[in-house]
Amino acid sequence: MTITAMAAALLAAVPACAAQAPAQAALDRFADTLGYRLTMVDNGPDCPAGIDGCFLATITLTVPDTIPADLGRFSLYFSFVNRLPRVESDIFDHKLINGDLQQLILKPGVTLKPGARHEIKLWGVGSNFSKAFGMPNAYLVADGLQARTIAATRPVIDPDTGLEILPFVAPMTDEAKLAVKSDADKTRWLTAERAFDLQAARPAAAATGVVILPAPAKATQTKGRPVDLTAGVALTVEGADRTALAPAIAALANAGVADTGKLPLTIRIGAASLAPEGYTLDVAAKGVTIAAKDLAGANNALRSLAQQAAFEKGRVTPLHVEDAPLYPYRGLHLDLGRNFHGRDQILKLVEAMAAYKLNKLHLHLAEDEGWRIEIPALPELAEIGSKRCHDPSEQTCILPQLGAGPDGTSGVNGYLTTADYVAIVKAAAARQIEVIPSIDMPGHSRAAIKAMELRHARLTAAGKKAEADAYRLIDPADTTQYRSIQNYDDNTLNVCLPATYRFVDTVVDALADMHRQAGVPLKTFHLGADETAGAWVNSPACKAMIAENGGKSGELTPRFIERVTASLAAKGLRAGGWSDGMGHTQTANMPKDVQTNIWGVLHTGAIREAHDQMNRGWLTVLSIPDLGYFDMPYAPHPDEGGYDWASRGVDVHQVFGFMPDNLPANAATIRNTRAEGQPIEDKPLLEPGHRVAGVQAQLWSETIRTDAQVDYMLFPRLLALAERGWSAAPWTPAYQAGASYQWNDSRVDAAKLAAGWSDFAGRVAAQFPLLDAMGVAYRVAPPGARIANGKLEANSEFPGTAIEYRPTGGTWTRYAGPVAVTGPVDLRTRSADGKRASRTVRVEAAK
C-alpha cells in the first residue's frame, strides 16, 4: 500500500469523516445549482482606507430556487492570486488559508433565501487586467462531508479553439476602467481595429526561396532544375552510427524524403573547420551532401533540409547552405511545478525544439504548488507533493492552490516517474538537447517541506527519531512570520539545518543517477535561488549563523547558494540559478563555472543584472520577460491569457526584434508604457570581452492547465526566440558603453528590422503545416479588421492565414478582400490545417 493510500485509509477510519448520505446529497445538489460569477469591476477605484493601489472585483452568488432541506452551514473556498486585504460580504467572513487559497465562511445565523443574489466585494492589491486571472474549481465544504466543486466554476474546452475557457468569468468590456492602473500607463487594448493598423504597419510577404528557420548564416539557391527527393534518398553516414541521427532522419521522412531511394545523401561528421553545431548543406542534381563538425551539426542540417523539402514539396531548388549558431545556449524552460504537464507533452516539445535547433531543455520540477519528479529514497515527495486536494491536514495531499479543485483528480496533478524522466533525457540526447533539471530553493519549496513533514511524522510515530530528523527541512522552533511574494507563510527551507543540505545532495544524486540510466551524464543542476522570503530571523538553528554575518539574516541565502554551488562543483556539475539570488553572492566564493539566468525586466533590472554577471565571467543566459516570458500575454487584451506583471504583451514581433548583444538599444523597439520616454540606464557598463551565452524562453504555468495552452503560449513565439538564438539581428547598433536609447531611436536600423520581419513572418507561415503534423496547437492569432466606408477590411499577422467573417445572424464566410457589410461583423482566422480557429473578434463601423 502506498503512503497516500495508507493515509487515506486512516482518515476514512475516523468516524467524524463518515458523511451521512442525505447531508452529502444536499451539499452536492447545492454545489451543482449555485450560481457563481467573477467580475472585474475597476482597476483604479477609490480605495478603502489603508489600501493603496487597489482594484475591485466581485463574486456574485445566485442561490438556486430550491435549497436542499438538509443543507447545513458551509464554507466556500476559491483561489485568488492577488492579496485581498479587504473582503466585504453580507453572508460570509473571509480568511486567507495560504498562498492563493481563500475561504468564505458562512456567518452564524445566516439563512439563505431561494433565488437571492449575494455580491462579495474583493478589494485586491495590484491589478487584474485579464480574464485569465480567474481561477476555476471553487468548492464547498461542510463538516463531515466530502468537498464538492461548484459546477458553475468548472473550466470547459472551446470546441473551435481547443483552448480552456472559464464561463464564470464575466466579459471585460470597459476599457476606461479595466485597461490601465493609472494615467501614467499608456497601454491600450489591442482591439481588432488597432490590430489592423499595427499589422498594416508591419507588412509580411509570403515565403519564397529559402524558408529555413532559424535563418542560416548563408544560404544560396542556384540555377538549375529542382532536385527531386520525392523518390527518396540513399543515406550514408561517415564518422558516426546513423542510429545517432534517427530522429532527424525520421523528421526528413515525415517531410516526404524517405531513406529508400537511389539519390545519394551523404553525411560526413568530424569536419574540423566547422564550428560546433555548424554544418554545410548542398543539394544538387548529383545528390545531397552534408558536412558537420559533430552530431548536433548533422542533426541541424537534416532539420534544415526537412523544412525546405516540405515547403518545396520534395522538389528542392539547388541549394548551398553554410550555417552555425550565433549563441551556444538556446533554451526552453517549462514549469511543471505550478501545473503539471506530462511525459507525452514534453516529448512532443523536445521534437519541436530539435526542429528549430534549440538545445537546452530546462525542466522546472518543483514549486510551492507541486513536486513533479520521483525520488526513490524520499517517496513522499512525489506521492504527496504532486497532488493538490482539500485535505486541511495535508496528510494525503497539499492544499489545492491555483484552482486545482478539491478532489485531487484534476490534470494539474501528477509527477514524472523515474522511467518518464529517463525517457525524456534519452529522447532529448538523441536530438542533441541537454536536459537541465531545476529544483527551486530555498524559497518556492512548500511542496517539499510538506512532504518531508509527513515523512517526519511517519518515522517519529515509528520511533525512528534520527531517521525522521534526517530530512526535516524546517526548524520547528522558528517563530518568524513572513509572506512570500506568492503569499505563502511556510515555503522556505531552513538553510541552517544539516538536513537541508542532505536533502539537496539526495535529490541531486537521484537526478544524476537517472541521467546515468539514460546514458547521458548530468551536466547542470539549476537551484533557482530566487525570491527567498527569509524565514530565519527567529530560528534558533540560525542564530549563530546570523551572528556570524553581522546580524544580517539576509546574508543567509547567498551563503546557502555558495555552499550548494561548491557541493555541485565537487560532483563535477555546473550550478545554475536565477539572477536575483545569484547576484547577491560573492564571486570569490563561487565556482568559476556558473550559469545565471537573467530574469529582470528590460526597463528595470535586466541590464544591471546581465552586465554585472557577465562581468563576473559567468555563463549568462537572457531569460528576461520582454524577450522570453511566454506566460505573458501575446497582446494587451483581457481575452489573452497569462500573467502580466512584467509585460502587458510579448508578441512575436517583439521577440523577433530583440537585440541580445546590445540590451540598452532595446528601448528603441520595446516601449516602456508605464514610464514613457524614460531611457534605460546602462549600469554597470559591460566590460570588453564579455557576451551573453544565449537566450531562453520561459513558460511558467500558473494559468496554464492544459497541454493545448502550453502549445498556444509557446508557438509561434518560440520560433522567434529560436531565430534570435541562432541568427544575427542586423539592425543592432554596436554596443557603446554608457549609450542610452529612446523609443524609435534612429540608431536602430528600422528598415532592416522591417525587412527582416517581412521575411521571417513568411518563413513562420511556412512552418505551420510542419507544426500541425507534429501535433503542436500553435496560436492562431485573431485577425485585424475595420469597417471603412461601409466595407469590411481584414488582415492577418502572418501571410496566407485564412480569415473568416460572419455578419450578425449570418454564417461564416471566407474573406477574400474588402466586402460591403452592414452592422457589426465577427471575424476569426483558422490554422493551416483548418482544424482550429482563433478567438472571435468583433468590429463595428466607426461612429
Side-chain angles (χ1 to χ4, degrees):
M1 182 179 288
T2 66
I3 294 166
T4 304
M6 286 189 292
L10 288 171
L11 287 175
V14 179
C17 292
Q20 294 181 355
Q24 183 69 61
L27 186 69
D28 294 353
R29 288 197 303 275
F30 189 61
D32 284 344
T33 55
L34 179 65
Y36 188 106
R37 188 74 157 172
L38 174 66
T39 303
M40 186 56 212
V41 178
D42 197 340
N43 271 311
D46 293 330
C47 299
I51 307 176
D52 296 326
C54 73
F55 68 89
L56 175 62
T58 61
I59 294 173
T60 302
L61 300 178
T62 303
V63 180
D65 292 336
T66 301
I67 303 175
D70 295 319
L71 183 67
R73 190 162 180 247
F74 63 89
S75 293
L76 189 157
Y77 287 77
F78 68 101
S79 287
F80 203 87
V81 296
N82 297 78
R83 296 188 180 183
L84 296 174
R86 184 182 179 94
V87 174
E88 299 174 4
S89 172
D90 58 339
I91 61 171
F92 289 113
D93 293 319
H94 169 255
K95 179 182 179 182
L96 168 65
I97 301 299
N98 211 348
D100 62 74
L101 187 60
Q102 319 282 333
Q103 182 185 21
L104 296 173
I105 308 160
L106 197 65
K107 293 179 179 179
V110 168
T111 300
L112 297 180
K113 296 180 180 180
R117 289 164 54 92
H118 298 277
E119 183 181 86
I120 302 146
K121 290 185 176 180
L122 309 176
W123 296 96
V125 174
S127 56
N128 196 320
F129 294 125
S130 169
K131 290 163 64 177
F133 278 70
M135 292 291 164
N137 299 317
Y139 61 95
L140 302 178
V141 172
D143 289 345
L145 304 181
Q146 294 182 11
R148 286 291 182 260
T149 301
I150 298 171
T153 67
R154 294 186 186 276
V156 300
I157 302 300
D158 185 317
D160 292 326
T161 67
L163 298 173
E164 181 188 88
I165 57 176
L166 304 174
F168 65 91
V169 180
M172 296 174 66
T173 58
D174 189 342
E175 186 173 14
K177 289 186 175 181
L178 299 178
V180 298
K181 185 70 182 171
S182 67
D183 292 341
D185 188 345
K186 305 302 181 184
T187 303
R188 297 195 304 168
W189 287 345
L190 189 66
T191 61
E193 292 86 353
R194 292 167 186 162
F196 181 89
D197 293 340
L198 181 66
Q199 287 161 185
R202 298 173 179 172
T208 58
V210 178
V211 300
I212 297 169
L213 193 156
K218 180 180 179 181
T220 306
Q221 289 181 311
T222 57
K223 294 181 179 180
R225 296 178 61 183
V227 180
D228 188 358
L229 304 181
T230 59
V233 294
L235 175 65
T236 59
V237 179
E238 301 173 8
D241 192 318
R242 62 177 288 155
T243 58
L245 293 170
I249 294 169
L252 187 62
N254 291 336
V257 184
D259 181 19
T260 56
K262 295 182 179 180
L263 187 73
L265 193 167
T266 305
I267 301 175
R268 299 184 178 91
I269 298 172
S273 61
L274 297 177
E277 300 186 81
Y279 65 91
T280 61
L281 167 65
D282 284 283
V283 180
K286 62 183 178 180
V288 180
T289 57
I290 290 170
K293 186 181 186 68
D294 47 29
L295 282 170
N299 172 79
N300 292 331
L302 288 168
R303 300 291 181 165
S304 293
L305 179 59
Q307 291 181 31
Q308 193 65 30
F311 177 70
E312 297 191 274
K313 301 189 184 318
R315 291 175 170 81
V316 179
T317 303
L319 175 67
H320 173 73
V321 177
E322 299 174 15
D323 204 7
L326 184 63
Y327 302 112
Y329 190 112
R330 306 174 306 281
L332 169 62
H333 165 282
L334 183 62
D335 172 16
L336 307 182
R338 271 55 178 262
N339 287 313
F340 183 61
H341 301 281
R343 170 176 168 165
D344 290 346
Q345 174 67 12
I346 296 169
L347 291 176
K348 180 177 73 176
L349 292 178
V350 165
E351 173 61 18
M353 289 176 65
Y356 299 104
K357 305 182 179 72
L358 298 170
N359 65 352
K360 309 290 182 183
L361 175 60
H362 181 169
L363 287 180
H364 192 70
L365 296 170
E367 258 299 337
D368 294 321
E369 297 84 7
W371 183 279
R372 306 303 185 183
I373 183 70
E374 179 184 16
I375 304 297
L378 301 171
E380 291 90 349
L381 285 170
E383 292 188 13
I384 302 300
S386 71
K387 182 179 179 181
R388 301 203 292 266
C389 71
H390 183 75
D391 176 7
S393 68
E394 296 187 286
Q395 297 295 301
T396 61
C397 58
I398 57 177
L399 292 172
Q401 308 289 338
L402 298 173
D407 55 18
T409 62
S410 169
V412 304
N413 298 298
Y415 64 92
L416 298 176
T417 65
T418 298
D420 289 337
Y421 187 79
V422 169
I424 291 165
V425 173
K426 282 184 175 180
R431 294 160 175 81
Q432 291 75 49
I433 296 170
E434 178 190 357
V435 175
I436 300 173
S438 174
I439 306 291
D440 214 336
M441 59 182 81
H444 293 270
S445 296
R446 189 175 191 274
I449 289 169
K450 291 302 175 182
M452 291 299 93
E453 283 298 280
L454 185 62
R455 177 187 185 276
H456 180 270
R458 174 174 60 84
L459 292 171
T460 299
K464 301 177 180 180
K465 186 177 187 310
E467 191 176 346
D469 290 340
Y471 290 98
R472 195 173 197 187
L473 302 177
I474 62 168
D475 176 0
D478 185 2
T479 60
T480 310
Q481 295 183 351
Y482 67 94
R483 285 282 176 190
S484 74
I485 195 167
Q486 281 83 21
N487 233 12
Y488 293 102
D489 62 1
D490 55 356
N491 78 330
T492 307
L493 307 179
N494 191 301
V495 299
C496 308
L497 300 175
T500 293
Y501 300 93
R502 185 179 300 111
F503 175 82
V504 175
D505 281 341
T506 298
V507 170
V508 172
D509 289 347
L511 287 164
D513 184 61
M514 293 178 213
H515 279 254
R516 280 191 291 272
Q517 292 179 48
V520 185
L522 178 63
K523 296 179 181 179
T524 305
F525 175 80
H526 201 284
L527 67 147
D530 65 317
E531 296 183 335
T532 298
W536 315 303
V537 175
N538 297 323
S539 167
C542 287
K543 287 188 181 293
M545 291 182 67
I546 293 173
E548 290 173 7
N549 287 285
K552 298 178 181 178
S553 63
E555 293 295 317
L556 296 187
T557 296
R559 303 295 84 79
F560 168 82
I561 297 169
E562 291 165 5
R563 179 171 171 177
V564 171
T565 54
S567 175
L568 293 170
K571 297 176 187 288
L573 301 176
R574 171 189 288 151
W578 300 105
S579 52
D580 57 338
M582 303 296 274
H584 288 99
T585 63
Q586 297 296 319
T587 308
N589 296 338
M590 294 286 283
K592 290 185 178 180
D593 190 12
V594 173
Q595 175 182 320
T596 180
N597 290 81
I598 308 300
W599 70 280
V601 179
L602 177 69
H603 289 277
T604 54
I607 294 174
R608 172 179 51 79
E609 292 179 354
H611 286 184
D612 165 62
Q613 292 173 36
M614 276 191 277
N615 289 343
R616 299 187 191 201
W618 292 351
L619 189 154
T620 303
V621 179
L622 297 182
S623 296
I624 66 177
D626 315 78
L627 167 69
Y629 263 43
F630 293 167
D631 52 302
M632 299 287 144
Y634 276 89
H637 193 280
D639 290 334
E640 287 291 341
Y643 276 5
D644 52 31
W645 59 267
S647 178
R648 297 292 300 281
V650 179
D651 66 9
V652 183
H653 184 274
Q654 179 166 306
V655 181
F656 171 78
F658 201 85
M659 296 169 277
D661 279 334
N662 189 342
L663 289 177
N666 288 286
T669 57
I670 300 177
R671 198 171 208 146
N672 186 354
T673 58
R674 296 172 185 173
E676 196 76 42
Q678 182 176 332
I680 306 173
E681 188 175 31
D682 184 17
K683 290 183 179 180
L685 302 178
L686 181 61
E687 297 172 0
H690 295 293
R691 189 189 192 195
V692 298
V695 294
Q696 180 171 282
Q698 282 63 230
L699 188 67
W700 302 101
S701 66
E702 288 96 333
T703 64
I704 299 169
R705 291 172 286 273
T706 69
D707 291 348
Q709 286 175 293
V710 171
D711 291 356
Y712 179 95
M713 298 303 278
L714 286 179
F715 296 91
R717 287 188 287 200
L718 193 61
L719 304 184
L721 183 128
E723 182 93 355
R724 286 289 65 78
W726 186 273
S727 307
W731 48 89
T732 308
Y735 174 77
Q736 292 183 323
S740 62
Y741 295 78
Q742 300 281 354
W743 171 248
N744 283 332
D745 198 298
S746 61
R747 286 170 292 177
V748 173
D749 195 324
K752 287 183 178 179
L753 176 56
W757 168 257
S758 178
D759 169 71
F760 172 76
R763 286 184 289 119
V764 168
Q767 305 305 316
F768 287 153
L770 293 177
L771 291 172
D772 284 331
M774 280 189 271
V776 173
Y778 53 88
R779 178 182 188 246
V780 183
R786 67 180 182 183
I787 297 174
N789 300 318
K791 287 192 174 183
L792 172 69
E793 300 176 64
N795 59 17
S796 59
E797 183 175 22
F798 297 105
T801 304
I803 301 174
E804 298 173 340
Y805 70 96
R806 178 182 64 184
T808 301
T811 59
W812 288 109
T813 302
R814 180 75 174 263
Y815 175 80
V819 57
V821 295
T822 57
V825 179
D826 293 332
L827 296 101
R828 66 186 185 187
T829 52
R830 299 207 72 89
S831 59
D833 62 4
K835 294 180 180 179
R836 293 177 296 111
S838 72
R839 62 179 171 87
T840 299
V841 296
R842 170 165 285 202
V843 293
E844 299 182 26
K847 296 180 181 179

